[in-house]
Every structure is written in C-alpha cells, then in structure tokens.
Amino acid sequence: MSTKQFDVVVIGGGPGGYIAAIRAAQLGQNTACIDEWKNDKGGPALGGTCTNVGCIPSKALLQSSEHYEQLNHHFADHGITADNVKIDVAKMLARKDQVVKQNNDGIVYLFKKNKVTFFHGRGSFVAAKDGGYEIKAGEEVIFAKQVIVATGSNARALPGVPFDEETILSNDGALRVGSTPKKLGLIGAGVIGLEMGSVWRRLGAEVTVLEGLPTFLGAVDESVAKEAAKIFKKQGLDIQLGVKVGEIKSGKAGVSVAYTDAKGEAKTLEVDKLIVSIGRVPNTVGLGVEAVGLQLDDRGAIVVDHDCKTNLPGVWAIGDVVRGPMLAHKAEEEGVAVAERIAGQHGHVNFNTIPWVIYTSPEIAWVGKTEQQLKAEGVAYKAGQFPFLANGRARALGDTTGFVKFLADATTDEILGVHIIGPFASELISEAVVAMEFKASAEDIARICHAHPSLSEATKEAALAVDKRTLNF
Ligand code: FAD
Ligand code: NAI
C-alpha cells in the first residue's frame, strides 16, 4: 500500500490542533489531523482536553451549580421561592456529557466541511525522509512536509500520589464525581482549584483548598485577588495558603492529607475526595520525538521560537505542549498563525493581549499588565476603578459584587491592563482586548457611547476614572 501524502499533518485534535487543521485546509493545503482521544464507546472524541475534560464540561457544571446556588440563596430576593429544591447530580452530569458530545460532533462536521482527513489513533514520528516526515497515524503510516504538533498537556500528579480517579482526582475525575462529596479537598488554589471547588461547594460539599504559595492568585492584579479572597471566604471556601503538603493516604473511607500550615503547625485534612490541581505538564508521550530529534526543554515542553517553529525544518508546535499560558484560545491563535505561515502568509499572535478568565462567581477576567507588574517594571501609570455597586444594570441583575479597573500609561494614556471581578467579566473583557489590540487610550473608551443600562457602562466609567471624572460614582 502506498503511503498517503499530505501537505500538512496535525498531531492532536484539541483547540490548537483542530483549528490549525481547519485553517490549513481553508488555505488550500491537503490536511490530515490525528487524534487519539476516545469517548466511552471507544470512538473518536475530537476537541482534546478543552472539549472532553476541560473548558467545556467545567463550564457546564459551573452553570448547573450556579443555577442551584441562585435558586437556594438568591432568587428569594426577586420574590421567587421554591420548596424542596433538589439536585440530581446524575442528570447534571448527563447534561454535561451531552454538551461535550455536541462539541465533539461539531468538530467532526467542521472537518468534513473543510475536507480535513481525520485519523483516529496515536500519531508518532517514524522518521525524517525526503524533506518531510513519515508519521504513524493509528495503524497507517502517512507522509507530510509540514507537521504541526498540538498534543496538549496532562494533569500534574503529586510525587508518589498517582490519580486513581476514584478518590484522588485529576480534572478528569473531578468532572465525573457521581454524588456530592460531604468533604472535598483540593490541592492548589489555581484556576481549576477555584472553579471545581466552587462547583462542589455550591452543591453542598464542605470544601478545603490547600495552596503551597503564601499569596492567593499571585498572577492576578492584587486588588482583584484581595476582593476575590474576601468573597470566596464568605461563600464558604476554606482556602489555606502557605501550606506544605506531606503524606497522602487513601482508602475506601476517603483520603487523609498530612500538611503543615503557614504557622508551621502539623495538621491532617480528612476528606471523601481529593482533587489535585497543581498545574499541568506538556504531553509528548508516545510522540516519537527521539525518532526525529525533536527538542524538548527541561519541563518536557517542545522548544519553539516566537513563531512556533521547532528545531526541525517543517515541524511546528502549538498550544499547551509549548511555552506560554495553557489556554484554549492561545492554542487556537497559534494554530491559525502557524497554518497561515505554512501557506506563506504572516500569521501573528499578540501575547500581550491574551485574556484570562476564571469562571467562578463572581467571574475574574483580565488582560495586559497587573498593577504589581507595572510597579516592578518601573512604568509610570494611572489607575481608574469603578464598582458594579454603582452600575444600574448590576443592581437590576441583583449582582453588584466587584469592579472594573483600568491601568493606563501616565504619559500617553495607552491602556496597559484591564482587570475585572464581577458579573459577566468573561464577556466584558473582550472590549478591553479589542481596545488594547488597537492601542487605544483610556480616553478612547471613556468617549465611546455604551448602551444603557449595561454592565459595559462600568467599563466606560472605569476608563473615565483614569482621568478622575466618573459620572456615576
Ligand atoms: P489539548 O486540548 O490537550 O489537546 C491535545 C489533543 O491531542 C488531545 O485530544 C490528545 O488526546 C491528543 N494527543 C496527544 N498526543 C497525541 C498523539 N501522540 N497522537 C494523537 N493524538 C494525541 N482554557 C481556557 O482557555 N478556558 C477555560 O475555561 C479552560 N478551562 C479548563 C478547565 C480544565 C478543568 C482544564 C484541565 C483545562 C482548562 N483550560 C481552559 C485549558 C485548555 O483546556 C487547554 O489550554 C487547551 O485544551 C489546550 O489545547 P491544545 O490543543 O494545546 O491541547
Ligand atoms: P494553576 O497553575 O492555575 O494552579 C496551580 C496551583 O497549585 C498554584 O497556585 C500553585 O502554587 C499550587 N501548587 C503547586 N504545587 C503545589 C503543591 N505541591 N502543594 C500545594 N499547592 C501547589 O494550575 P491548575 O489549576 O492545575 O490548572 C492548570 C491550567 O489549566 C491553568 O494554569 C490554566 O492554564 C488552565 N485552566 C484554565 C482555566 C480557565 O481559563 N478558566 C480553567 C482551568 C484550567
């Protein structure tokens, strides 16, 4: 059988890989994508971590649990009460699985529409040959001159504490817990710790989060992190900072975690389930990097330059398997840019304007520099802040927590960072991203007409606050 030839082969069908494949095909390249993820029937489940055990299912559970929280604690303010409110966790999980499946199927449809050839199975480098690469795609061997590696990342386990996905859970098991645990422990108060901790706390679990660092959400603007810590504590999340986790024992009865708290006191946390969310490791398992000499760094990430070029001609790498933030939209942007570079265009990713969102309640979103970064870099800046408490739409919604904060260059007024904690922060941040991408000044946003009543008026007012001229506060 002759080897199938492609212009571009993408290994990995997560948000980085599938988007790269679609863009390459749109640009006229004969493109294949290889992905090994299996659904519960052994069939393909395109979309990677993001679709199967990441962004999409976590947001589905965050939505379901938030409805439950609203009905139990906040609807009464609107005059709506209900007796005998129950949560059917099995149904909630089934809905989440359905949402995942819709996304899996959507990508299959997109591959057909864009004429991307899909191989279900593992992709691995066999050899460099004839100015290109032989790649094993499941049971077949295929050939391409251009290869995009988008193999993603896996959850990092604590040394000597493997995930059993029954009591010691990665993000995968954390999204499949069959009933609300009475006591839930999480190690790591990062993005997954806070999102998954919020889901199970809303559903009634007693949640304790053990964080190694003494600072809460160190990468977030300090004023936002401070506000978030206050709110999460009030909601009942017990977040302990500066702990040192020791021995972890798990059995049928649950898990016990020995740790030393910030004061140096030895303690034990007994929980029914433990989620370990201490970051993720780039995934190159079984990729055959040694067969072609693809260079990895000491974290196991594929070494790439600013343009996602690896050390091998014609081999590119994108998304979680390379440097930079582990975010789906960062992976997608890199995928598009690489496909365009392969086609001779000038794909570009602006790393300064990649937004971050934490989907807790309130949501936290930001883009650009934090105040502490600007101070450390010695940049002269002006800050403007506006609370949702003074926003009409937020009052009508019944959610006035948080604020919008602008940081602008003291001389040029260029927006350097925008930080939001509050309702729909995930949606509001887009305006800030657009503004920064167009190098807008705070005054530009302040002078733009924003619909009334809308949460986006808080963004306009925060921009006005940079020049100390808010109208509604
Ligand atoms: P992945 O999505 O990991 O996809 C890689 C794919 O490659 C997988 O399907 C894998 O099976 C396949 N693969 C690996 N090796 C091979 C091989 N050798 N052969 C064939 N196939 C292979 N990011 C956000 O932006 N927003 C969020 O809200 C968000 N929420 C998250 C929630 C959780 C719980 C987690 C864990 C992550 C979340 N992320 C979120 C991060 C996001 O999921 C990742 O940044 C994103 O999935 C990375 O995309 P990727 O394409 O690089 O890799
Ligand atoms: P994370 O990097 O966000 O947080 C890990 C936390 O664990 C850190 O605070 C770290 O200090 C702490 N930690 C590390 N080792 C520890 C130890 N031994 N003991 C105690 N604490 C320890 O990683 P997380 O939450 O696992 O998520 C992984 C990545 O997935 C995120 O960084 C993000 O890129 C992505 N993600 C994005 C989401 C979003 O965009 N909304 C949602 C969830 C995940």
Side-chain angles (χ1 to χ4, degrees), residues 34-331:
I34 314 165
D35 186 84
E36 65 180 348
W37 205 292
K38 288 190 184 116
N39 62 24
D40 53 6
K41 295 183 184 71
L46 276 161
T49 302
C50 168
T51 302
N52 293 295
V53 292
C55 323
I56 299 299
S58 61
K59 268 77 252 180
L61 295 189
L62 278 156
Q63 190 61 54
S64 300
S65 58
E66 183 62 12
H67 284 324
Y68 186 65
E69 171 103 340
Q70 290 289 329
L71 182 50
N72 277 319
H73 302 290
H74 304 292
F75 277 11
D77 296 343
H78 299 257
I80 304 165
T81 51
D83 295 327
N84 204 15
V85 176
K86 286 193 197 123
I87 175 79
D88 180 341
V89 173
K91 195 162 179 184
M92 179 184 79
L93 295 182
R95 175 189 173 274
K96 178 256 307 174
D97 291 342
Q98 194 51 33
V99 174
V100 167
K101 189 172 177 309
Q102 285 164 355
N103 282 272
N104 296 143
D105 294 349
I107 302 167
V108 172
Y109 161 78
L110 291 170
F111 274 7
K112 281 198 185 119
K113 181 180 163 202
N114 289 285
K115 301 192 174 50
V116 173
T117 306
F118 173 56
F119 293 89
H120 189 214
R122 176 159 287 181
S124 56
F125 287 100
V126 177
K129 201 178 156 191
D130 303 334
Y133 299 89
E134 272 186 342
I135 291 160
K136 193 148 190 275
E139 297 308 312
E140 295 186 50
V141 174
I142 60 178
F143 176 88
K145 290 210 164 142
Q146 300 287 336
V147 182
I148 305 174
V149 181
T151 45
S153 64
N154 291 319
R156 184 151 78 90
L158 281 164
V161 190
F163 298 114
D164 60 24
E165 304 297 3
E166 284 298 324
T167 45
I168 300 187
L169 314 173
S170 70
N171 56 296
D172 185 1
L175 292 158
R176 289 191 282 109
V177 178
S179 60
T180 306
K182 196 165 171 306
K183 290 188 175 186
L184 173 70
L186 291 108
I187 301 190
V191 200
I192 296 181
L194 294 174
E195 290 188 357
M196 295 316 299
S198 294
V199 166
W200 296 107
R201 186 217 37 91
R202 292 170 191 165
L203 299 180
E206 200 180 297
V207 177
T208 308
V209 190
L210 301 179
E211 166 59 45
L213 292 177
T215 329
F216 180 59
L217 286 179
V220 174
D221 190 83
E222 268 170 14
S223 56
V224 171
K226 212 168 133 197
E227 181 79 0
K230 208 169 66 191
I231 297 166
F232 295 150
K233 188 171 176 201
K234 205 166 146 207
Q235 290 174 350
L237 275 184
D238 176 11
I239 301 171
Q240 302 191 25
L241 302 176
V243 309
K244 195 165 175 349
V245 173
E247 195 184 5
I248 297 183
K249 290 188 209 149
S250 82
K252 281 219 168 80
V255 193
S256 95
V257 183
Y259 68 99
T260 315
D261 73 8
K263 293 187 198 120
E265 253 178 69
K267 295 200 167 156
T268 307
L269 175 69
E270 306 277 355
V271 287
D272 304 308
K273 306 260 180 201
L274 181 71
I275 298 173
V276 178
S277 47
I278 56 168
R280 297 179 63 80
V281 281
N283 173 31
T284 53
V285 178
L287 182 62
V289 290
E290 37 324 292
V292 286
L294 183 61
Q295 194 189 343
L296 307 183
D297 68 13
D298 49 10
R299 282 186 325 123
I302 297 175
V303 177
V304 287
D305 67 6
H306 185 271
D307 289 347
C308 295
K309 279 191 183 126
T310 69
N311 65 314
L312 301 175
V315 180
W316 312 73
I318 59 170
D320 280 14
V321 78
V322 304
R323 45 78 194 119
M326 288 185 168
L327 295 173
H329 42 283
K330 176 262 191 186

